Amino acid sequence: MRTDQLLSRLEPVFARLDREPERPAHLQTPQMSRHRVVLLCATLAFYLAIVVAVLTTSWLVRLDWQIMFFRPYEQWPQIHAFLDYLVVLGQRGPTAVMVAAWLGWRSWRQHTLRPLIALGVALLLLNITVGSVKLGLGRLGPHYATQIGSAELFAGGDIFPSGHTANAVVTWGILAYLASTTVTRRVLSILSGVLSLSVGATTVYLGTHWVSDVLLGWTAGLLIMLALPWFEPLIARSEAYVFELRERWRRRLEDGRVSEPVAAALTPLLSAGGKWQPRRAGAAEGAPVAAQTAAGHSPALRPAAHAHPVSRPHLIRSERTPVTPAGSRRPAHTERAAARSARPATGG
C-alpha cells in the first residue's frame, strides 16, 4: 500500500478531529486542587501504612491467614460460577479493550484524542507503579504459601498489591474522570468504586489474593486517579504532537512526496513486488521506473541496488526491459529458423 494512499484513508478521521472539541463550556479539565492534594497525601499515607503492616507481620497478616483458613469458596460454593465471570472485569486485557472502544467512540464524537491518550497514560502509570512493587516485594499468594503466619515476602511471587483491584480502579475510574457532566462523573465514580471493591473481594473469595493485597491494590489505583491531573499537560502535548506529525508527513507528500534518502531506504520495504514506486511532482501516474529514469529523474529514486545488490526489488512484467531491444542487429526468430532449414546437411 502506498504511503499517500494510507494517509488519504486517514484523512476523514483527522478531518473530524481537526474540528473544535465538543465539550460543555462549564466543565473544565480536572485540575490539581488543594482538596485533591489532601486526598492524595492521605491515600499515600494509607498506602505506606499497609506496606509497613505487611513488612512487620502485624495484625493485618494474621487477618490474611484467618480468612485464608476460612476458605470462603467452600462456605458459599453456590456463587462460585458467578464470581468467576465477575473477576474478569478486573483483568487488564478485556477491560482495556472494552474501555478503549468506548473512549475511541468518545474521541470520534468529541473531535479530540484526549480520552484515548488519557487512558494510555493511566495504564502506563499502572504498569510502572504496581508492577515495580509486585516484583520488588515478591509476595506469594494464599495457594502457594509455605509457612503459616508468615507474610510470604521476597519469595518470588507477584500478587502484592492486587493487580485485578488496581486495574479495576483505573480502567473503570477513567470513565468517571473523563465524564462530560458533573452528575455523570459522580455517578460513575461511585459505580467504579463499588466495582473495584467487588473485584477485589472476589479475588479473596477465590483464594488468589490476601486481604492486604486487595487493600493495597485499591489504594494504588486510587493514587493514580488522584495524580492524573498532573499529567494533563503531557496529554495535551501528546495530542498536539500527533497532529503535528500528521501535518509534517502531509507536507512532505505534497511538496516532494518524501525526501530522497528516505525514499531510497523505504523503496525495498514498500515496493511489494514493484507495486509501489516513489513519484516526484509531475511524474505520470503508474509510469514504469525505467521510463522515469530515462526522462532524467534522480537516480536516488531508483531501488537502492548499489547498497543491497542481492535484494533488488522484483519488477513486474510490464516494467522489465524487453529481451530483444529495439534496433538489435540480431535477426528475428523466424528468419533464423528459415536460414537453419536451408543450410545443407553435412556428412558424419
Side-chain angles (χ1 to χ4, degrees):
M1 180 182 296
R2 287 169 45 175
T3 307
D4 52 353
Q5 291 179 351
L6 177 61
L7 292 181
S8 63
R9 294 182 180 180
L10 294 178
E11 280 302 322
V13 178
F14 281 106
R16 187 175 182 88
L17 294 176
D18 282 335
R19 297 165 58 182
E20 289 296 326
E22 295 181 358
R23 291 179 55 84
H26 64 278
L27 185 63
Q28 302 295 330
T29 302
Q31 302 294 327
M32 205 63 188
S33 61
R34 182 179 302 177
H35 177 69
R36 186 181 287 267
V37 172
V38 172
L39 288 177
L40 178 64
C41 294
T43 307
L44 181 60
F46 185 68
Y47 184 96
L48 296 176
I50 296 174
V51 174
V52 171
V54 174
L55 288 174
T56 58
T57 316
S58 65
W59 62 270
L60 186 57
V61 177
R62 292 194 297 270
L63 178 63
D64 289 337
W65 280 96
Q66 290 174 1
I67 296 180
M68 192 273 285
F69 285 130
F70 182 69
R71 291 182 175 86
Y73 54 88
E74 293 182 356
Q75 302 296 328
W76 303 286
Q78 61 274 12
I79 61 175
H80 196 290
F82 169 74
L83 295 181
D84 277 338
Y85 289 101
L86 179 63
V87 78
V88 176
L89 297 178
Q91 291 183 358
R92 193 162 307 166
T95 56
V97 171
M98 289 186 291
V99 174
W102 172 259
L103 294 182
W105 180 80
R106 286 277 307 277
S107 296
W108 173 264
R109 183 180 178 181
Q110 296 182 352
H111 321 303
T112 175
L113 293 175
R114 178 174 172 265
L116 287 176
I117 298 177
L119 175 63
V121 171
L123 293 180
L124 180 61
L125 292 175
L126 176 67
N127 291 331
I128 293 175
T129 57
V130 175
S132 59
V133 177
K134 277 176 173 287
L135 297 178
L137 296 180
R139 192 182 191 187
L140 294 176
H143 291 316
Y144 304 96
T146 58
Q147 184 178 357
I148 297 176
S150 171
E152 301 293 337
L153 294 172
F154 311 110
D158 57 351
I159 55 98
F160 183 69
S162 170
H164 276 71
T165 307
N167 183 72
V169 173
V170 172
T171 52
W172 302 114
I174 198 69
L175 298 180
Y177 181 83
L178 297 171
S180 301
T181 62
T182 305
V183 175
T184 306
R185 177 176 297 176
R186 292 175 181 175
V187 172
L188 290 178
S189 297
I190 296 174
L191 291 179
S192 62
V194 172
L195 181 60
S196 60
L197 288 177
S198 301
V199 170
T202 301
T203 61
V204 175
Y205 167 87
L206 297 174
T208 57
H209 280 288
W210 309 97
V211 174
S212 54
D213 298 342
V214 174
L215 292 177
L216 194 66
W218 193 85
T219 309
L222 185 59
L223 282 175
I224 295 175
M225 298 308 303
L226 290 174
L228 200 56
W230 276 335
F231 296 89
E232 284 293 339
L234 175 63
I235 295 173
R237 288 196 299 269
S238 300
E239 184 179 16
Y241 176 76
V242 172
F243 286 100
E244 180 184 355
L245 185 64
R246 188 275 308 258
E247 292 298 331
R248 189 183 308 168
W249 276 99
R250 175 188 288 177
R251 288 194 298 268
R252 288 184 181 181
L253 292 175
E254 290 178 352
D255 298 341
R257 295 300 172 188
V258 289
S259 59
E260 294 183 355
V262 174
L266 292 180
T267 298
L269 300 177
L270 301 179
S271 60
K275 296 180 181 180
W276 183 89
Q277 297 294 339
R279 298 183 294 112
R280 298 180 66 92
E285 181 70 21
V289 178
Q292 295 183 22
T293 306
H297 289 291
S298 173
L301 294 178
R302 303 175 185 174
H306 61 281
H308 303 282
V310 180
S311 60
R312 293 185 59 186
H314 178 72
L315 298 179
I316 60 178
R317 181 176 299 273
S318 61
E319 295 176 352
R320 296 176 185 172
T321 306
V323 178
T324 305
S328 176
R329 297 181 180 180
R330 191 174 184 179
H333 177 72
T334 54
E335 297 178 3
R336 295 198 308 271
R340 191 181 301 111
S341 59
R343 185 181 305 170
T346 59

